[in-house]
Each structure stands twice: as structure tokens, then as C-alpha cells.
């Protein structure tokens, strides 16, 4: 890799380390609630090694190496430095790498999917590692993976066929996109979900479906598809076999299930108890159907004091967009902030008809969800989001419902002296004042009315449809009857594949941009009187929301690799496309301003007076297409639209603009989280300093 390109893969110096503030909310819990939260926290974090294996072959050994060095010096890093002869800058670079690694749970950025490497020389890294025999062993087991940068493709997550890194298809360098698709179609036809699996192509060309389960054999009585364990493949895979192999991540899932049993024993009600029984059954046996049942119960558990969810949830990092990363969280409800989201839920049915599609493309009834503002105690995952709308299971969310959560102490977390590039001096005071409020409005609408709306036109069973097949609805984009829909067994993710995650994030962000223009919604969050007034407080928040989105579309270029012509992050790709939508609105609605030829004074300029006349109509036109193509399974039109809107030309956007974005990029926050310790029936909360040293200690004491 060229030296200039390699600079962008060096670990942040320094990383932006912040603490997840939770003590006051944890202290307000009863003893039983604290025990419940503790067991869920443990179950969530016990999946850490699963996440590490889902990132890269070397990640688990890097994790163990860091913890082995902490143990060797008992957290006295200065003593380790003196023992190994490292200089202070080398030790600091190691600790900064360790903090970023632990904050991302792997050596690829959770946002961007790009590999990062230490800033100290490899010889200095080896010298530090020499302090511990265990650390040396783990270092050798990485086979040079920590510093390896010779193959540019392997610096990004993606398909093996494209030369990228993935461990969702372990030991399968020759597996192709077509093979993944064909095997997926077989499993779809058999009714076997794949979100808790990995797929391995063997030396003989057969395929093993690795099912995550504590049990290393098929469950007694058979799994989700009965007692079958192998199928002969046909068509373009004629002569090959597909085997079901249970026991992927078995040791971790056994411990997770045991922790879930502890949560069940401290549950607040029967719904929670049954929910945890289904979690445990899924994790022990590998049953995707049991996990689905856990999610049905989870959405019925309304208004718990301790909120949680865990399992194989988000499919952002699988290049095929169907296999999910482990994540789990335990959080406390912030009753005061939840009131605003409750008001939004109450108004949702009146807001849905304002979206730019006919009622045939919307659910028959809006399934009013639980929507809470949470303060996170523990979040195990490569990325901690600002908001969540789950479950990601089409057959549950389309007919039974979902939940929304906003993560308050993630939204409010700030690094000291945080820079805000690309905002003009004239806008900075207003932007700084309202960016948190504007983002909370955006997250609320995005999760509830973005991910929570829309109907998939389906053939639900052979010959059975959830729409009038004889007189199909008119497509508002073409003004002709719809010609495509989802066939039995197909899901949104299986049809749209690799673009599905980013496409859906874009659709939800567009809903947020369209409906944030509704001053009644702004009033629900405490901004303005509800009357349209672009110059009042509501108008200020709306202006900052649009400016923030435009700026996010610009900074998104950090996560685009012009060499591979590949986006590395779903939300970034989505926001870039929305910036393009703003720019295409015309009449100077959004402009990129600069006076200097090197673009070092680049800012985003947005005409507040044109938000309603230019911005909203442009977003709604884009949103209508995104939504209709998704609803009708029109992947051909959807892919063409989305790839066109997210295309990055090499000279201007992929060259000059991206270079300036990279020059001014700010480190993404990594969170130091508390631990809980159960002693008899009491739970102790242990917090740590927001420093690289505190980050390492928190993980060392986590015992995973």
C-alpha cells in the first residue's frame, strides 16, 4: 500500500475516549432490577469473542494479547515500558491502538469497515509484547495480521471474490457471490434463516452452514428444518452438498445461555421470563425460530425499567447483507426523555399519511410500538448506535410490531474540545446550540416512522397475497400497476442483498428529513409552538437538522475507498446520497463554499428559506422511489437508483473533496463502559476513567 494511503489506516492519535455515564440511573434501580441488568450485561459481553471472530482471523488473538499485557504489568504500564525499553511515545501509541481496538471490538473500524494499524514500529510492538509469554503466543498466532497492509483489498471488509476481508465465510477464499446467493436460495426455500450462521466452502467444493449454538450436534428431535442435516445441491451447484454443522461459537453461547438463565430468574414478569427461555433455547440449540419467538415476546414487554435485547441482530458487516453480528445491551429507561417519544408515538398515525406514497404501500394498521429513551449500562457490539428499531425480522415487524429505543447517554456523549469541521463561523453558534436536539428529533423520526413504516407486497404462501393480485396497486413512480413483489420465503434482505442495509438506512433518513419539516413534530420535542415559523425556535432546529445532514453527507467520504470503489459504512453511504439529493434540488438550496484553492476553508452553505420549497420536495421525490422499489421487491430499479445516487466520481468528490475530508477528520468516539459485579445478592457498579488505560482495565476486569 502506498505511504499516503497507509496514513489513513493508522490508529487515531489520540482516540476520542469517553465514558458511558450511567451511575445515577443504575443507583435508582431496585436490587432485583440490578441483578436482572447484571445478568443481561454479562450475557451481552460474553458474546465479545463471537464479534471478534466475525471481524478478522487475527482479532481474537489481538484481544487476548492486550489483556495478557495488562495482566503481566497489573495495569502499571510505565513499569512495562521500563521493563521492555520502549520509549514513552511507543507506549502511548500502543495504548491508543488498544483503546481503539477494544472500542471497535476488532481491528477494523466499526464505522467504515477499514483496517487500522498501530502507529508504533512493529519492532517496538514486539518489544512490548516480549513482557508476557502469553502475549508473545497470541502475537505469533496473528501471523503478521496486526501490521499487514501489503494487499490493499484486505484493508477493507467485503467479499473474498473482490479481494476483501470477511470471516462470515471462513476459510473460503474461493467462494463467490453467486455461490453465496445460490446456497441462500436453497436455505430460503427450506425455510431456514441464516442470520445466526456462517458459510464455509470446503476443499471439495461442498458447503458447510455453521450454525451458532452451544450444542455441537443437532438438537434432539431435529432443528428448525427437522432431522435433516444434509442436502444434495442442483442446478449450477449440481453434484455438491450442503451440510448443517452445529456448534459455531459453542463455548461462548453456553456461557451466554447460563447468564440468560440468571436474567430469567430475576425477571419482572412472565413475559420477560418466557422471553429469556426462548433466548436460552435459541442460543443452546441454534434455533432461529426460538430467537424469533423471543423477539415476539420482547415487543410485548412494554415499558420495562430495564430494557434489553441480544442475539445476532444487525447484518451491516456481512458483505451479502444476510448474516448478523452478535450484539446485546442492558439499559435503564429515562422516564423524562421518554415522554417526548411517547408523544411522537401517539401522533404517528396522523403523520404516516403525510409520507409520499399511497396507502396500498403502507401497513393496514400502524403497529404502535414501545419507544423509550434509554441510558445504556452495557452495549456489546462493534458499534454503539444512537437509536435502534428492531427486530430485523420481516415476518414479525410487518404483522406483529417492533420497538424503538433512543440511547440518551450515547447521543449526549461529547469528547473534550470536539472539533466541528465544515460548518461556517456564521452557523457555528446555532449549530452547537441545537445539534443535539436536532439529532434527537432525527433519530426519533428515523426509528419510528422511517424503519417503522412501509408494507412489503408479498405472496405470503403459494397463491396467497397481502394485496389484490387481480387489481394490483398503481406504482406512483410509473403510474402503472405493480409488476413485482416478494415470493414465498423471500425477505427484504435476501432480495436486495448487499445494498439492503444502506438502502434502508437511506429510506429512514429521508423520512426523518421529510417529517422534521412538520412543525407539529418539532413541538412534540419541545421546539416551537407547532406553527410554521422558519425564523423561530422550531425553524432553528429544522435548519440545524438539514445542515447537520448535509455536513454528514460530506464527511461520509471518509468511509469511501476510491481504489476499491467501495463504501465502507451503511449510514455514511446513505447520507452522501441525501447530500446529492440536496444539491440536485437546485436554486442554490445547498452549496459547497470555499475561497481557497486547496479547499481548506470548505463549508456547507444551506439556504434556510428554501428548506420547505426545495429541500423537502426533493427529499420526498427521492424517498418515494426508494420506498416503492423496496415495497415491490423491484431490486433492479432500486439498485440502479441507489448506485447512481451514491456514485463517487474520482476527481472531484473522490479526489479533492475526499482529501479535505480526510485532512479534517475527527476520531470517532469509543466508549469506556462500566462493569457489574454480583456478590451474593448485591450488584456493584464499577466505573473506569475515560482514558486508554481505563478502557483496557475495563475489559481486563470484564472476564470474557
Amino acid at each position: 500500500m502506498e505511504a499516503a494511503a497507509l496514513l489513513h489506516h493508522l490508529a487515531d492519535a489520540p482516540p476520542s475516549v469517553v465514558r458511558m455515564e450511567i451511575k445515577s440511573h443504575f443507583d435508582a434501580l431496585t436490587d432485583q432490577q440490578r441483578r436482572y441488568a447484571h445478568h443481561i450485561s454479562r450475557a451481552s459481553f460474553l458474546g465479545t469473542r463471537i464479534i471478534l471472530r466475525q471481524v478478522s482471523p487475527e482479532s481474537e488473538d489481538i484481544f487476548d494479547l492486550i489483556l495478557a499485557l495488562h495482566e503481566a504489568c497489573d495495569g502499571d504500564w510505565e513499569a512495562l515500558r521500563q521493563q521492555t525499553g520502549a520509549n514513552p511515545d511507543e507506549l502511548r501509541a500502543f495504548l491508543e491502538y488498544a483503546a481503539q481496538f477494544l472500542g471497535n471490538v476488532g481491528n477494523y473500524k466499526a464505522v467504515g469497515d477499514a483496517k487500522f494499524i498501530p502507529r508504533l514500529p512493529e519492532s517496538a510492538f514486539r518489544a512490548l509484547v516480549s513482557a508476557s509469554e502469553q502475549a508473545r503466543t497470541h502475537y505469533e498466532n496473528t501471523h503478521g495480521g496486526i501490521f499487514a497492509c501489503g494487499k490493499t483489498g484486505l484493508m477493507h471488509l467485503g467479499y473474498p471474490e473482490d479481494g476483501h476481508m470477511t470471516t462470515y465465510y471462513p476459510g473460503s477464499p474461493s467462494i463467490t457471490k453467486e455461490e453465496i446467493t445460490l446456497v441462500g436460495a436453497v436455505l430460503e426455500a427450506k425455510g431456514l434463516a441464516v442470520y445466526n450462521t456462517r458459510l464455509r466452502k470446503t476443499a471439495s467444493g461442498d458447503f458447510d452452514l455453521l450454525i451458532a449454538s452451544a450444542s455441537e450436534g443437532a438438537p434432539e428431535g431435529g432443528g428448525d428444518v427437522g432431522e435433516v442435516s444434509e442436502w444434495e445441491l442442483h442446478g449450477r451447484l449440481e453434484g455438491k452438498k450442503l451440510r448443517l454443522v452445529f456448534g459455531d461459537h459453542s463455548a461462548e453461547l453456553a456461557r451466554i445461555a447460563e447468564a440468560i438463565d440468571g436474567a430469567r430468574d430475576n425477571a419482572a414478569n412472565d413475559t420477560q421470563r418466557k422471553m429469556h427461555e426462548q433466548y436460552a433455547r435459541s442460543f443452546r440449540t441454534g434455533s432461529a425460530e426460538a430467537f424469533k419467538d423471543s423477539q415476539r415476546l420482547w415487543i410485548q414487554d412494554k415499558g420495562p425499567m430495564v430494557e434489553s435485547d441480544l442475539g445476532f441482530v444487525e447484518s451491516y458487516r456481512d458483505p451479502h447483507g444476510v448474516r448478523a453480528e452478535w450484539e446485546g445491551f442492558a439499559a435503564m429507561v429515562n422516564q423524562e426523555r421518554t415522554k417526548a417519544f411517547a408523544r411522537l408515538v401517539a401522533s404517528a398515525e396522523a403523520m404516516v399519511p403525510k409520507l409520499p406514497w399511497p396507502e396500498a404501500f403502507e401497513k393496514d394498521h400502524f403497529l404502535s410500538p414501545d419507544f423509550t429513551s434509554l441510558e445504556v449500562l452495557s452495549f456489546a457490539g462493534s458499534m454503539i448506535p444512537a437509536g435502534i428499531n428492531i427486530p430485523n425480522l420481516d415476518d414479525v415487524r410487518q404483522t406483529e410490531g417492533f420497538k424503538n429505543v433512543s440511547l440518551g447517554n450515547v447521543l449526549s456523549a461529547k469528547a473534550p474540545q470536539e472539533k466541528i469541521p465544515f460548518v461556517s463561523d456564521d452557523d457555528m453558534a446555532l449549530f452547537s446550540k441545537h445539534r443535539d436536539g436536532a439529532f434527537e428529533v432525527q433519530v426519533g423520526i428515523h426509528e419510528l416512522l422511517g424503519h417503522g413504516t412501509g408494507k412489503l407486497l408479498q405472496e405470503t404462501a403459494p397463491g396467497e397475497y397481502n394485496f389484490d393480485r387481480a387489481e394490483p396497486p398503481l406504482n406512483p413512480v410509473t403510474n402503472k400497476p405493480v409488476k413485482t413483489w416478494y415470493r414465498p420465503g423471500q425477505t427484504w434482505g435476501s432480495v436486495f442483498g448487499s445494498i439492503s442495509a444502506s438502502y434502508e438506512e437511506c429510506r429512514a433518513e429521508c423520512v426523518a428529513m421529510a417529517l422534521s419539516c412538520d412543525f407539529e413534530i418539532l413541538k412534540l420535542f419541545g421546539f416551537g409552538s407547532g406553527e410554521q415559523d422558519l425564523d423561530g425556535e422550531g425553524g432553528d432546529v429544522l435548519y440545524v437538522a438539514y445542515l447537520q445532514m448535509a455536513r454528514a453527507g460530506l464527511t461520509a467520504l471518509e468511509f469511501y475507498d476510491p481504489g476499491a470503489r467501495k463504501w465502507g459504512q451503511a449510514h455514511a453511504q446513505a447520507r452522501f446520497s441525501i447530500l446529492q439529493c440536496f444539491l440536485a434540488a437546485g436554486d442554490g438550496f445547498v452549496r459547497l463554499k470555499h475561497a481557497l484553492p486547496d479547499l481548506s476553508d470548505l463549508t456547507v452553505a444551506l439556504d434556510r428559506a428554501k428548506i420547505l420549497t426545495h429541500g423537502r420536495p426533493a427529499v420526498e421525490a427521492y424517498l418515494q422511489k426508494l420506498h416503492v422499489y423496496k415495497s415491490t421487491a423491484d431490486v433492479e430499479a432500486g439498485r440502479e437508483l441507489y448506485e447512481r445516487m451514491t456514485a463517487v466520481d474520482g476527481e472531484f468528490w473522490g479526489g479533492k473533496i475526499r482529501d479535505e475530508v480526510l485532512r479534517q477528520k475527527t476520531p470517532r468516539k469509543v466508549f469506556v463502559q462500566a462493569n457489574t459485579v454480583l456478590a451474593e445478592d448485591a450488584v456493584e457498579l464499577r466505573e473506569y476513567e475515560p482514558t486508554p488505560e481505563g478502557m483496557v482495565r475495563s475489559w481486563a476486569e470484564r472476564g470474557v
Side-chain angles (χ1 to χ4, degrees):
M1 174 172 277
E2 293 180 2
L6 184 60
L7 286 174
H8 301 305
H9 289 275
L10 297 177
D12 293 334
S16 180
V17 183
V18 297
R19 185 161 67 184
M20 194 85 79
E21 299 293 348
I22 192 60
K23 188 176 189 308
S24 62
H25 298 279
F26 185 80
D27 288 348
L29 299 178
T30 66
D31 287 345
Q32 180 180 341
Q33 290 166 345
R34 291 181 191 179
R35 291 193 297 272
Y36 182 67
H38 163 77
H39 288 295
I40 295 167
S41 172
R42 290 298 300 155
S44 299
F45 279 129
L46 285 168
T48 297
R49 291 181 182 275
I50 299 175
I51 302 167
L52 291 163
R53 286 181 212 129
Q54 291 176 315
V55 177
S56 70
E58 64 271 10
S59 281
E60 190 171 5
D61 277 297
I62 300 172
F63 178 79
D64 287 326
L65 180 159
I66 293 167
L67 299 193
L69 283 184
H70 180 276
E71 181 181 11
C73 69
D74 195 24
D76 186 346
W77 295 101
E78 176 58 23
L80 181 80
R81 183 190 73 76
Q82 294 181 13
Q83 176 187 343
T84 59
N87 66 46
D89 289 342
E90 290 166 345
L91 175 63
R92 178 53 42 193
F94 171 81
L95 289 170
E96 289 173 347
Y97 173 77
Q100 189 170 354
F101 177 93
L102 296 170
N104 286 271
V105 196
N107 63 334
Y108 285 71
K109 292 180 181 179
V111 177
D113 290 346
K115 183 176 180 178
F116 55 94
I117 61 177
R119 284 181 177 266
L120 68 161
E122 189 166 4
S123 58
F125 194 100
R126 284 198 305 268
L128 287 166
V129 166
S130 69
S132 161
E133 184 176 343
Q134 277 188 310
R136 284 198 302 274
T137 299
H138 290 300
Y139 180 75
E140 290 164 4
N141 289 344
T142 68
H143 303 292
I146 297 173
F147 287 89
C149 56
K151 295 181 179 179
T152 302
L154 292 177
M155 302 300 282
H156 299 272
L157 300 181
Y159 285 109
E161 184 178 348
D162 295 334
H164 297 308
M165 170 62 70
T166 182
T167 50
Y168 284 96
Y169 306 92
S172 309
S174 67
I175 197 168
T176 66
K177 299 172 193 176
E178 182 187 32
E179 288 169 335
I180 296 167
T181 299
L182 291 171
V183 170
V186 171
L187 294 166
E188 189 177 88
K190 302 291 184 184
L192 185 59
V194 299
Y195 47 80
N196 63 337
T197 72
R198 298 191 289 172
L199 182 63
R200 179 173 61 208
K201 182 180 179 181
T202 68
S204 64
D206 295 331
F207 299 90
D208 292 337
L209 187 72
L210 310 180
I211 299 173
S213 65
S215 170
E216 296 187 7
E220 187 175 343
D224 288 345
V225 290
E227 297 187 8
V228 65
S229 62
E230 182 176 291
W231 291 291
E232 297 283 344
L233 299 175
H234 303 287
R236 291 198 289 277
L237 296 178
E238 186 72 41
K240 304 303 180 184
K241 295 179 181 179
L242 172 60
R243 288 181 290 265
L244 305 185
V245 180
F246 290 85
D248 204 16
H249 315 301
S250 60
E252 289 74 27
L253 286 161
R255 295 180 72 191
I256 289 166
E258 185 177 350
I260 286 297
D261 290 343
R264 176 203 61 204
D265 294 342
N266 287 277
N269 53 57
D270 285 340
T271 300
Q272 286 183 356
R273 277 187 282 277
K274 291 175 183 176
M275 174 181 77
H276 287 295
E277 286 169 0
Q278 293 303 317
Y279 277 132
R281 185 165 78 88
S282 174
F283 301 149
R284 287 188 169 110
T285 68
S287 171
E289 292 303 313
F291 181 73
K292 194 177 292 184
D293 287 340
S294 77
Q295 299 304 278
R296 291 188 169 104
L297 290 158
W298 181 67
I299 60 179
Q300 295 170 27
D301 185 28
K302 304 280 189 179
M305 285 302 299
V306 178
E307 184 59 280
S308 64
D309 197 24
L310 72 169
F312 296 88
V313 178
E314 301 288 0
S315 59
Y316 297 128
R317 304 188 95 178
D318 168 23
H320 212 63
V322 294
R323 294 178 164 82
E325 185 176 75
W326 174 269
E327 72 175 41
F329 71 88
M332 284 79 251
V333 175
N334 183 322
Q335 300 287 1
E336 188 59 35
R337 287 308 307 154
T338 294
K339 292 176 182 177
F341 295 110
R343 292 192 291 268
L344 183 63
V345 172
S347 71
E349 284 196 76
M351 297 298 170
V352 172
K354 298 179 182 183
L355 292 167
W357 52 80
E359 62 181 13
F361 297 86
E362 189 49 65
K363 299 185 187 80
D364 296 335
H365 304 285
F366 182 76
L367 303 169
S368 294
D370 212 19
F371 198 156
T372 50
S373 178
L374 303 179
E375 306 295 327
V376 176
L377 167 65
S378 306
F379 199 109
S382 61
M383 179 182 74
I384 304 178
I388 313 172
N389 175 288
I390 42 180
N392 294 323
L393 304 167
D394 290 343
D395 48 350
V396 175
R397 64 185 297 111
Q398 285 282 311
T399 60
E400 298 178 54
F402 52 91
K403 275 187 182 181
N404 292 290
V405 298
S406 172
L407 306 184
N409 54 349
V410 176
L411 280 165
S412 62
K414 296 285 184 299
Q417 300 176 329
E418 192 173 56
K419 292 195 308 178
I420 309 175
F422 310 118
V423 175
S424 71
D425 291 342
D426 290 343
D427 283 328
M428 187 60 73
L430 189 68
F431 187 89
S432 299
K433 178 181 179 181
H434 287 300
R435 65 172 174 156
D436 287 353
F439 192 51
E440 187 172 49
V441 173
Q442 177 190 328
V443 168
I445 301 173
H446 173 115
E447 301 297 347
L448 176 66
L449 296 165
H451 293 313
T453 55
K455 178 178 182 176
L456 302 182
L457 302 187
Q458 296 171 305
E459 184 180 2
T460 54
E464 297 179 14
Y465 301 84
N466 67 351
F467 63 99
D468 188 342
R469 176 70 183 88
E471 295 187 27
L474 286 180
N475 180 329
V477 178
T478 64
N479 207 32
K480 296 177 181 178
V482 300
K483 297 179 179 180
T484 54
W485 51 83
Y486 293 86
R487 309 297 179 178
Q490 288 185 331
T491 65
W492 149 246
S494 69
V495 171
F496 275 70
S498 59
I499 68 167
S500 60
S502 182
Y503 187 108
E504 172 59 11
E505 293 305 331
C506 185
R507 194 187 70 86
E509 292 283 47
C510 284
V511 170
M513 289 294 96
L515 290 183
S516 62
C517 294
D518 194 300
F519 283 76
E520 293 177 20
I521 287 182
L522 294 170
K523 181 184 177 183
L524 297 177
F525 284 86
F527 304 118
S529 65
E531 298 295 321
Q532 182 174 309
D533 181 6
L534 279 171
D535 296 319
E537 184 184 31
D540 287 347
V541 172
L542 174 59
Y543 175 67
V544 170
Y546 265 72
L547 182 60
Q548 191 159 237
M549 179 58 73
R551 176 183 173 274
L554 184 64
T555 60
L557 286 166
E558 176 187 347
F559 307 110
Y560 178 77
D561 177 21
R565 300 183 66 82
K566 180 180 184 298
W567 282 97
Q569 211 283 327
H571 298 79
Q573 183 178 7
R575 289 163 184 164
F576 178 79
S577 84
I578 295 172
L579 171 60
Q580 299 308 305
C581 175
F582 287 176
L583 291 166
D587 204 15
F589 170 54
V590 168
R591 293 171 295 130
L592 301 183
K593 289 182 63 177
H594 65 91
L596 301 175
D598 65 356
L599 307 187
S600 58
D601 61 340
L602 181 66
T603 60
V604 176
L606 189 146
D607 189 336
R608 178 197 290 235
K610 294 173 182 170
I611 293 175
L612 302 181
T613 58
H614 292 69
R616 184 175 188 173
V619 168
E620 288 181 338
Y622 182 33
L623 171 59
Q624 183 184 78
K625 292 177 182 178
L626 290 167
H627 182 83
V628 170
Y629 298 154
K630 177 188 175 183
S631 289
T632 60
D634 192 348
V635 64
E636 185 177 335
R639 183 177 290 276
E640 187 282 326
L641 169 69
Y642 200 56
E643 289 182 349
R644 172 164 47 84
M645 292 295 288
T646 60
V648 180
D649 76 71
E651 186 174 343
F652 182 69
W653 290 104
K656 293 179 180 178
I657 298 294
R658 182 174 178 271
D659 287 347
E660 185 57 24
V661 167
L662 292 174
R663 192 184 71 79
Q664 295 202 48
K665 72 175 182 177
T666 56
R668 186 173 177 85
K669 290 184 283 289
V670 290
F671 290 92
V672 177
Q673 301 184 57
N675 285 321
T676 54
V677 180
L678 179 65
E680 296 182 354
D681 286 337
V683 179
E684 174 194 351
L685 184 75
R686 292 184 183 172
E687 294 187 298
Y688 303 88
E689 290 300 312
T691 61
E693 293 87 342
M695 174 74 86
V696 176
R697 181 173 290 279
S698 73
W699 279 99
E701 295 185 3
R702 202 154 278 148
V704 297

